[in-house]
Amino acid sequence: MSIDLWMHFINFFKEVHINEDNFVERLRDLYARAVEIAGAEYKSDRLWESYIAWEREQNNPHNITLIYDRMLATVTQHLIGNFKKFEDHVKVFHPRDILEIDEFLTLRAQIIKTKNISAEHDDTSAPLGEVDQEAPPGLEAEEPPGTGVTNAASELVDEEEIQQLKKIIVDARKVMFEKTKEEALKRKPFEDQIKRPYFHVKPLERNQLQVWTDYLDFEIKNGSHERVLVLFERCVIACALYEEFWIKVRCFVFPQVMARAEQFCNALR
């Protein structure tokens, strides 16, 4: 769970394995494992940013977008700043380079449909006598072989379309960001009161113990199972000398373990 430990491990891996043939794939897997395990930590922004910076070095804007999609759905300390960085990311690259091809084509189809509706509306007010110029029979342009999804993606050359599509991309992620920000603001008062998130042999002040208790109670009532476990892991580091928190962990986890064990036994019958 320690972000510092993960960062040291990743840097060590880079130094030791950089010359190996499968280095890029193995490091990408390591980053993915790191954010899967520790990415939900409130102060995990450094880990996410390191992952993004490395993918940028690999010139892989599509993967960066996927990381931002996960990051913006995660409650972290610098969530607002992360969304601004995502907006900058979208500004820099062509939409087809940062999206899955299916999403790109779907969004572009929406833009084209809107433009066609607008064009049809304009045609109804066009002067009489104006007709579309069509090619003579037998001279219609033939579609070259090999066209399809790839060519459709490359057709987006109109600057207005590009800017419209970029706005749609940002707006779609903004909906998710706003929901995450709302959850982050609920947890910020607790996080601001935590003065010693690390272990120390010196006793914690009584008000610090109360902060951890209140925060855990809030997360158990309102948070996801994953977030509760992450907070428990953080808590038992800072409050390792206080048995009431270990008992609280046991009371939360044990019924779930027993329920899963019962399901497993029932499946074997």
Side-chain angles (χ1 to χ4, degrees):
M1 181 53 64
S2 170
I3 302 302
D4 287 333
L5 185 60
W6 274 109
M7 293 298 296
H8 287 309
F9 181 36
I10 289 170
N11 290 333
F12 168 78
F13 187 92
K14 290 178 180 179
E15 294 177 3
V16 173
H17 301 285
I18 190 170
N19 294 320
E20 297 181 5
D21 294 337
N22 58 348
F23 169 72
V24 172
E25 291 78 10
R26 291 182 63 192
L27 183 55
R28 182 172 286 122
D29 290 343
L30 180 59
Y31 267 119
R33 185 157 61 96
V35 297
E36 181 69 26
I37 295 173
E41 219 272 20
Y42 185 72
K43 296 183 178 180
S44 62
D45 300 275
R46 289 187 298 119
L47 178 60
W48 290 100
E49 290 168 3
S50 176
Y51 192 3
I52 290 171
W54 179 76
E55 287 288 6
R56 188 175 292 117
E57 292 174 1
Q58 310 310 308
N59 193 27
N60 201 330
H62 171 256
N63 277 8
I64 293 175
T65 303
L66 295 178
I67 297 169
Y68 270 120
D69 283 346
R70 295 180 61 188
M71 189 181 188
L72 296 176
T74 304
V75 174
T76 57
Q77 185 177 22
H78 301 298
L79 177 66
I80 296 176
N82 294 334
F83 182 71
K84 292 179 180 178
K85 292 177 182 178
F86 172 71
E87 290 180 306
D88 294 337
H89 167 67
V90 174
K91 290 177 182 178
V92 171
F93 295 98
H94 195 290
R96 66 168 170 257
D97 295 330
I98 62 176
L99 296 178
E100 296 282 359
I101 191 65
D102 290 342
E103 182 181 3
F104 171 81
L105 294 176
T106 299
L107 295 180
R108 182 164 185 257
Q110 295 176 7
I111 293 175
I112 294 175
K113 182 178 180 181
T114 302
K115 292 179 68 175
N116 288 341
I117 292 174
S118 177
E120 290 174 3
H121 180 270
D122 292 341
D123 288 344
T124 59
S125 59
L128 294 176
E130 292 187 5
V131 295
D132 293 337
Q133 297 295 322
E134 296 182 358
L139 297 180
E140 294 88 349
E142 295 184 1
E143 186 175 296
T147 57
V149 172
T150 304
N151 280 2
S154 64
E155 289 172 2
L156 189 64
V157 293
D158 182 86
E159 183 62 27
E160 182 181 356
E161 285 188 19
I162 292 175
Q163 295 307 317
Q164 287 178 337
L165 189 47
K166 287 186 175 185
K167 184 178 185 303
I168 293 174
I169 294 170
V170 172
D171 289 347
R173 272 68 178 182
K174 190 172 184 179
V175 174
M176 174 175 59
F177 159 72
E178 291 293 345
K179 292 180 180 179
T180 309
K181 184 174 73 171
E182 183 179 348
E183 294 300 316
L185 291 174
K186 293 177 183 178
R187 290 158 177 80
K188 190 174 186 301
F190 298 109
E191 294 289 348
D192 289 345
Q193 294 181 75
I194 296 175
K195 305 303 180 185
R196 201 177 79 189
Y198 52 87
F199 173 77
H200 200 285
V201 293
K202 295 174 66 175
L204 279 167
E205 297 176 1
R206 185 178 297 274
N207 68 325
Q208 286 292 289
L209 298 175
Q210 189 61 48
V211 169
W212 281 110
T213 299
D214 294 342
Y215 196 179
L216 286 167
D217 290 341
F218 169 84
E219 202 67 71
I220 291 172
K221 182 179 179 180
N222 301 283
S224 64
H225 179 75
E226 178 191 12
R227 289 209 58 82
V228 174
L229 292 181
V230 168
L231 187 59
F232 266 126
E233 290 188 41
R234 293 174 58 196
C235 175
V236 295
I237 292 174
C239 308
L241 300 179
Y242 299 89
E243 63 182 20
E244 59 264 34
F245 293 103
W246 292 99
I247 294 173
K248 199 176 186 72
V249 174
R250 184 264 181 200
C251 292
F252 177 77
V253 174
F254 185 74
Q256 300 176 47
V257 173
M258 293 302 297
R260 292 180 182 178
E262 184 177 356
Q263 291 176 0
F264 178 75
C265 291
N266 290 337
L268 295 177
R269 291 172 184 171

